[in-house]
Amino acid sequence: MNNLDKRRFAASHGVSDEEYERVLEVLGREPSMTEIGVVSAMWSEHCSYKSSRVHLKKFPTTGPQVVQGPGENAGAVDIGGGLAAVFKMESHNHPSYIEPYQGAATGVGGILRDVFTMGARPIASLNSLRFGAIDHARTPYLFHGVVGGIAGYGNCVGVPTVGGEIYFDASYNGNILVNVFTVGVCKKDEIFLGVARGVGNPVFYVGAGTGRDGIHGATMASAQFSDQTEEKRPTVQVGDPFREKLLLEACLELMKTDVIVGIQDMGAAGLTSSSVEMADRGKLGIRIDADKIPVREENMSAYEMLLSESQERMLIVVERGKEDAIARIFDKWELEWAQIGEVIAEQRFEVYEKGELACDLPVSLLTSAAPQYDRPRKRPAYLDALKPAVIDAPDDLGQAFVELMASPNICSRASVYKQFDHMVGIGTVVRPGMGDAAVVRIPGTEQALAITVDCNSRFCYLDPREGAKLAVAECARNISCVGATPLGITDCLNFGDPTHPEVMWQFSEAVEGMSEACIAFDTPVVSGNVSLYNASFDKDIYPTPTVAMVGNFSRLLEGPGRAQGYCDASFKGEGDRVVLFGRTDTNDIGGSEYLWTRAAQLGQRPPRLDLELEKAVQRLVRDSIAQGLLLSAHDCADGGLGVTLAECCIGAEGHALGLNIEMDIDTIARADLFLFCESPSRIVVSVREADLSALVSQAEAAGVPSTVIGTVTALPRLVWPGVLDLPTGDLQHAHKHGLSRLDA
Amino acid sequence: MQRARVLIRNKPGVFDPQGKVVHSGLRRLGHESVQDVRVGKVIDLRFASGSPDELRARIERMCSEFLVNPVIEDYTIQFLDEE
Amino acid sequence: MQRARVLIRNKPGVFDPQGKVVHSGLRRLGHESVQDVRVGKVIDLRFASGSPDELRARIERMCSEFLVNPVIEDYTIQFLDEE
Amino acid sequence: MKVAVVVFPGSNCERDCEHVLENVIGASVVRAWHRDHELPKVDCVVLPGGFSYGDYLRAGAVSKISPIMKAVSEFAFSGGPVIGICNGFQVLLECGLLPGAMLRNRSLRFVCKDTFVRCATERTPFTSGLSLGEVLKLPIAHAEGNYYVDAEELRALQDNDQIVFQYTSGDGEANDGANPNGSIFNIAGVCNRAGNVLGMMPHPERAAEDVLGNSGGAALFASIIHTL
Ligand SMILES: Nc1ncnc2c1ncn2[C@@H]1O[C@H](COP(=O)(O)OP(=O)(O)O)[C@@H](O)[C@H]1O
Ligand SMILES: [Mg+2]
């Protein structure tokens, strides 16, 4: 191949002309084709974070609780008892659009490996999904494929999927989002890192054999979808959750020995990125003999082996002289393994193919010397064209309420989470649908974690900075509603095409907003993921900086009949009093589900967030739960106070109760806006009548506005005299069947 | 009456984890002579009437619309004698 | 080289949940002419050598030991031309 | 009491069963590995849930050819109590230790939720601590739990008192609305003729502790201790 052809070859791999010049300059020679493949993968947006790195530096990433910050396979926070929670979120957006089942399944596989590669046994997963409009032709297919893939993979591996979120919006018609999160637990001083140390130490490949699947996956995730995507389409990666389970057990078993120097899973850009990143962290090099790599297809070239994204594989640097443990354990678990190379002193990535050096690159070329861009930013013009919301009060408030409950973004997700094994591991204390965050007991302890994921991308579209803040705030509020204390976050920054200055403006704003909120809640960012080029035919998705948060309970006390010290969302019994903490501003209607479903408007701005009030409300709720004062707690989010009250009445198990609203309607100008605006920092709680005055005075002392909403009734009706009188069953029915049109 | 059969398998190159497990199961039972195993789906269809040509066109539509995932699967159509 | 195919289907009379779902899916897409759908498995085996008779006996053993559950499933064996 | 929990590649409820047996019931637990040819000396064998061999081919099909299943069969034939939960039930069916077979759920979907099951016989070592007709709330989590036997076999199950659990409504009625997967006669669990081998789809180990809000399932494990 001549030099011009090489340049074209590089361009076809997404390496720009300037980038290619840079390679020539650093290398001082023309790269081989194999080397071009390696460079293109490592310099892809997906692996190099070249457009986002300058912004990500702004994140707060430290704190006394941080055990491992960004940069490793996953982050870790101290959860007490000598334990760490290890967690991360990953996107698998592009593969899932092409093949929803396998795309989502392999996304789950990848995030599980990111966590257990650190030595932590995964104890729970979440997912955050965005599909196109519910009536878009492709939505049902993508939806069922993705949900099926998450179920198929996670259930088989035996990690419970305990929560998540799903939104439908036309902005995702041509580019869905599939973000998956896993948390695991290990001793905080027994974390394994992806680092190559010790010159001469052997490098082992373990797991499944390498095939031709997913070659160029990383480059594909670094470009927009277009008509040509079809041709560039790599062989789809097919997940094998069974082998993942074996790999999980084998790795954890190996970790109990003292043979591992460093370990890392092969994710995007497979063997290349795992070896290069491990070498980079250890400031050493790695030499690989491609002919030793276990393969499952014939005649594979080094180029293909290096770029394959076959699933369920790991790379392990083992202490020399202790190699036997690999054979013993990986044979036992019926997995492939091979010593494929060694750690070398020169900081180079060397790959031999049939005795010849097919790739000989400085590690730094692939890491620190990779391009970084501070791409142009511009405030999007659409922001100035936004108009304030105009919405008339409905003739029939009850009817409007029922319709809102059936909205695809609000209705019950039971049909989804029933397909996920959310109980395996016998740790799920608060199940999906029961509370704002999932509560998972840590095996062998009385400790528990609360986890949640959130992002309202309409808010982010209206104002990326405020929207990102609101996402962090809602996560923290969800964690507080179950009684836990927020500890840290991971994120998936899903944005459009970074070559659009408007997208980079959104990105930068969102990162700054998130950072501000993370500092306020003392929840550092310990890991995360960036997914750019979420655009199709030049139309960018709504900015979607998804946040997943982990909180902890020091101890779950077993009381008579059930655990105490936490809360779920449902009302418990007749006569209990219902109190709203926080402030309702009926102008907070922009971006709301009510405005969208009734008037197809976005409005002008998202709800206003007061971080100090938010913190005070959350602290109050956490403290009252710890005191055993609260019977339930549920925040007001999508659909506002009305939907929250309805959900509290419906309850997770269908023991529908009712509510008598006792507020004076004369003080409220518009009941519909009062019920359905989406002011943040609000939590609905219920208490025994006897505890009401104590609770109200605590709120007063904490400087938190509180409103007594009314009284729980055994009669399953939501009654607000003169305003509303609805059978809970009507709301419940609408809620339950909101997604059924996807099955038609 | 007409009977047709659609055979669906993963495309060459697309990983078939099930085939791999079945293969190693057969080996464990001593069937060493098996060199390769692929597992796929078979869909048998019955029609009241129709000529093979006409049915083939119809079945091809069914495959592309619904029965087959063209991203990872290949298929073949066969016609069966009435039994 | 020899290639053989095992087709496995639920016995007549045993409910075939997949067939039923596929059938109603096809109907919903307007393929009303389909009268019945059965979904089964196809297992393609490759052997280095062996006469059909000998292989048939071997495959029958595989089926009864492992590949087929006789409580619910029937099977047929086919030999394929080398490709 | 000493219990063996059998682990196949892909089992994923073995830890859960061990936790309940050890920490809730107070039994001692040993693991048996699928490649073992012998069982340790135990009083009871548990085949836990999961996806042994990925459920490939058929759930339980690849596990049945594991060496350990010969030892489990011998243990069962000599009258030892054996319980297979979910995937463990599927393995017992494939091995022929229990009659019948599993079909895919009629929804074709995996289903994870609480169900109610009624105890239809107290004669097994696992139900001796329950009362006849008692309704338990137990979770299920499976894609292939649609139990099938032909009409003749069903009659035999009934005549020989082999139906151990049926899916019911909360007040114990075995109607179609309470049937989560299409299983024949709402069957959730069956035993062999002798009564010492039980297979069931619901997971009692997931409902054996107050902290999870449901401890009714512990009675099954406690029954074994009392029987021995
Ligand atoms: N993709 C999903 N996977 C699993 N559980 C989900 C998923 N989406 C939503 N859920 C669960 O369904 C329930 C309702 O979701 P959502 O309406 O987003 O809750 P909230 O408004 O309280 O944040 C929650 O328990 C959530 O964890
Ligand atoms: Mg939410």
Side-chain angles (χ1 to χ4, degrees), chain A residues 127 129 163-166 413 417 420 432-433 435-436 454 474 634 638:
Chain A
N127 54 75
L129 312 177
E165 51 160 13
I166 305 171
R413 271 72 180 116
Y417 58 71
F420 302 151
D436 283 306
D454 220 284
E474 183 173 348
H634 189 12
D638 308 82

Side-chain angles (χ1 to χ4, degrees), chain A residues 393-623:
Chain A
D395 296 334
D396 184 342
L397 182 61
Q399 184 57 29
F401 198 166
V402 168
E403 279 167 22
L404 189 60
M405 290 297 284
S407 144
N409 292 335
I410 282 182
C411 66
S412 168
R413 271 72 180 116
S415 64
V416 173
Y417 58 71
K418 272 188 195 160
Q419 295 179 59
F420 302 151
D421 190 339
H422 49 266
M423 301 190 221
V424 60
I426 53 172
T428 315
V429 176
V430 173
R431 297 179 187 177
M434 273 174 61
D436 283 306
V439 175
V440 184
R441 167 179 65 164
I442 298 166
T445 73
E446 288 177 335
Q447 288 174 260
L449 296 178
I451 53 180
T452 185
V453 60
D454 220 284
C455 179
N456 184 321
S457 62
R458 249 182 237 144
F459 294 170
C460 295
Y461 179 74
L462 294 174
D463 185 340
R465 179 182 294 262
E466 287 302 308
K469 264 195 233 174
L470 283 159
V472 179
E474 183 173 348
C475 277
R477 198 183 316 128
N478 288 343
I479 298 282
S480 300
C481 279
V482 295
T485 309
L487 280 179
I489 72 155
T490 181
D491 63 79
C492 239
L493 303 176
N494 308 279
F495 285 78
D497 187 332
T499 63
H500 298 164
E502 293 82 359
V503 167
M504 284 319 293
W505 183 86
Q506 292 172 332
F507 189 87
S508 146
E509 287 287 302
V511 167
E512 284 174 16
M514 258 175 74
S515 301
E516 187 188 335
C518 284
I519 290 168
F521 297 108
D522 187 22
T523 52
V525 180
V526 296
S527 59
N529 171 255
V530 176
S531 173
L532 299 176
Y533 296 99
N534 290 294
S536 57
F537 300 101
D538 236 32
K539 202 164 154 8
D540 297 304
I541 61 160
Y542 281 174
T544 315
T546 307
V547 179
M549 189 177 284
V550 172
N552 73 335
F553 298 84
S554 50
R555 207 167 132 72
L556 279 186
L557 301 171
E558 262 182 62
R562 64 183 314 156
Q564 295 173 343
Y566 75 90
C567 245
D568 62 25
S570 54
F571 291 154
K572 297 298 177 301
E574 181 170 22
D576 296 336
R577 305 301 301 276
V578 177
V579 178
L580 171 69
F581 293 142
R583 212 176 287 126
T584 303
D585 176 353
T586 52
N587 292 313
D588 285 333
I589 195 72
S592 69
E593 191 62 26
Y594 180 65
L595 182 61
W596 181 254
T597 50
R598 280 202 74 79
Q601 293 170 32
L602 286 172
Q604 200 165 30
R605 61 158 183 89
R608 280 197 224 286
L609 175 65
D610 172 347
L611 281 170
E612 287 313 310
L613 174 64
E614 179 77 61
K615 284 200 298 190
V617 169
Q618 291 184 22
R619 200 177 313 116
L620 172 66
V621 166
R622 281 199 304 271
D623 290 348

Side-chain angles (χ1 to χ4, degrees), chain A residues 202-489:
Chain A
V203 175
F204 279 88
Y205 170 116
V206 301
T210 295
R212 290 195 169 84
D213 26 8
I215 294 175
H216 302 317
T219 11
M220 176 185 73
S222 308
Q224 270 195 45
F225 277 127
S226 66
D227 291 331
Q228 285 106 51
T229 313
E230 200 77 14
E231 297 151 32
K232 270 202 249 162
R233 170 181 290 173
T235 315
V236 166
Q237 309 153 38
V238 172
D240 183 356
F242 166 60
R243 215 145 298 264
E244 176 98 343
K245 168 68 172 166
L246 303 187
L247 190 59
L248 161 72
E249 296 300 337
C251 287
L252 293 180
E253 193 169 323
L254 185 70
M255 285 160 173
K256 291 205 197 107
T257 68
D258 60 346
V259 313
I260 299 177
V261 173
I263 176 166
Q264 170 148 344
D265 78 299
M266 299 189 208
L271 188 53
T272 295
S273 70
S274 52
S275 345
V276 168
E277 286 174 15
M278 284 180 83
D280 186 50
R281 293 194 196 104
K283 305 264 172 297
L284 293 170
I286 280 184
R287 176 182 297 144
I288 284 173
D289 183 350
D291 301 321
K292 299 223 172 101
I293 296 171
V295 290
R296 59 172 157 74
E297 286 184 63
E298 284 157 23
N299 303 321
M300 288 190 64
S301 66
Y303 170 90
E304 290 171 317
M305 290 189 261
L306 287 173
L307 297 182
S308 161
E309 293 189 359
S310 290
Q311 299 291 298
E312 295 95 22
R313 305 178 301 160
M314 313 276 271
L315 199 66
I316 309 179
V317 176
V318 168
E319 204 173 306
R320 197 162 22 156
K322 296 184 174 171
E323 294 87 346
D324 290 355
I326 297 273
R328 181 167 47 83
I329 291 170
F330 285 84
D331 281 345
K332 170 185 166 188
W333 288 101
E334 297 170 29
L335 291 163
E336 312 229 21
W337 60 269
Q339 182 182 336
I340 61 163
E342 62 179 328
V343 179
I344 56 175
E346 307 77 45
Q347 296 181 28
R348 301 192 77 81
F349 179 50
E350 297 181 2
V351 182
Y352 284 85
E353 181 179 25
K354 300 197 176 69
E356 298 204 351
L357 196 52
C359 170
D360 179 16
L361 296 171
V363 169
S364 61
L365 171 75
L366 303 171
T367 55
S368 50
Q372 276 197 36
Y373 301 119
D374 189 357
R375 294 190 186 272
R377 276 167 275 159
K378 189 169 149 246
R379 188 174 184 277
Y382 74 78
L383 289 173
D384 299 318
L386 294 170
K387 289 196 192 61
V390 184
I391 181 166
D392 296 330
D395 296 334
D396 184 342
L397 182 61
Q399 184 57 29
F401 198 166
V402 168
E403 279 167 22
L404 189 60
M405 290 297 284
S407 144
N409 292 335
I410 282 182
C411 66
S412 168
R413 271 72 180 116
S415 64
V416 173
Y417 58 71
K418 272 188 195 160
Q419 295 179 59
F420 302 151
D421 190 339
H422 49 266
M423 301 190 221
V424 60
I426 53 172
T428 315
V429 176
V430 173
R431 297 179 187 177
M434 273 174 61
D436 283 306
V439 175
V440 184
R441 167 179 65 164
I442 298 166
T445 73
E446 288 177 335
Q447 288 174 260
L449 296 178
I451 53 180
T452 185
V453 60
D454 220 284
C455 179
N456 184 321
S457 62
R458 249 182 237 144
F459 294 170
C460 295
Y461 179 74
L462 294 174
D463 185 340
R465 179 182 294 262
E466 287 302 308
K469 264 195 233 174
L470 283 159
V472 179
E474 183 173 348
C475 277
R477 198 183 316 128
N478 288 343
I479 298 282
S480 300
C481 279
V482 295
T485 309
L487 280 179
I489 72 155

Side-chain angles (χ1 to χ4, degrees), chain D residues 72-208:
Chain D
V72 171
S73 300
E74 282 161 16
F75 181 81
F77 286 132
S78 69
V82 176
I83 181 172
I85 300 165
C86 199
N87 190 234
F89 185 12
Q90 293 162 337
V91 174
L92 291 173
L93 293 172
E94 281 285 337
C95 289
L97 283 171
L98 291 174
M102 284 300 172
L103 302 172
R104 297 270 294 271
N105 294 350
R106 60 183 163 186
S107 68
L108 293 191
R109 287 184 183 163
F110 188 96
V111 55
C112 175
K113 64 172 192 181
D114 281 331
T115 60
F116 291 101
V117 295
R118 185 180 60 200
C119 171
T121 177
E122 315 140 272
R123 74 181 183 105
T124 82
F126 305 97
T127 52
S128 58
L130 303 175
S131 45
L132 188 65
E134 185 174 342
V135 176
L136 297 175
K137 183 162 88 172
L138 298 178
I140 54 165
H142 59 249
E144 284 179 51
N146 183 348
Y147 180 74
Y148 170 83
V149 283
D150 62 24
E152 199 181 326
E153 187 69 49
L154 179 61
R155 218 167 310 119
L157 290 178
Q158 289 167 315
D159 293 347
N160 300 312
D161 197 17
Q162 285 176 263
I163 298 171
V164 183
F165 291 111
Q166 282 181 290
Y167 299 107
T168 62
S169 61
D171 42 21
E173 211 181 307
N175 51 32
D176 193 58
N179 188 333
N181 52 31
S183 78
I184 195 161
F185 204 57
N186 280 39
I187 287 174
V190 295
C191 64
N192 60 352
R193 280 202 188 195
N196 63 312
V197 178
L198 166 66
M200 60 188 295
M201 288 316 289
H203 286 271
E205 81 281 11
R206 295 186 182 187

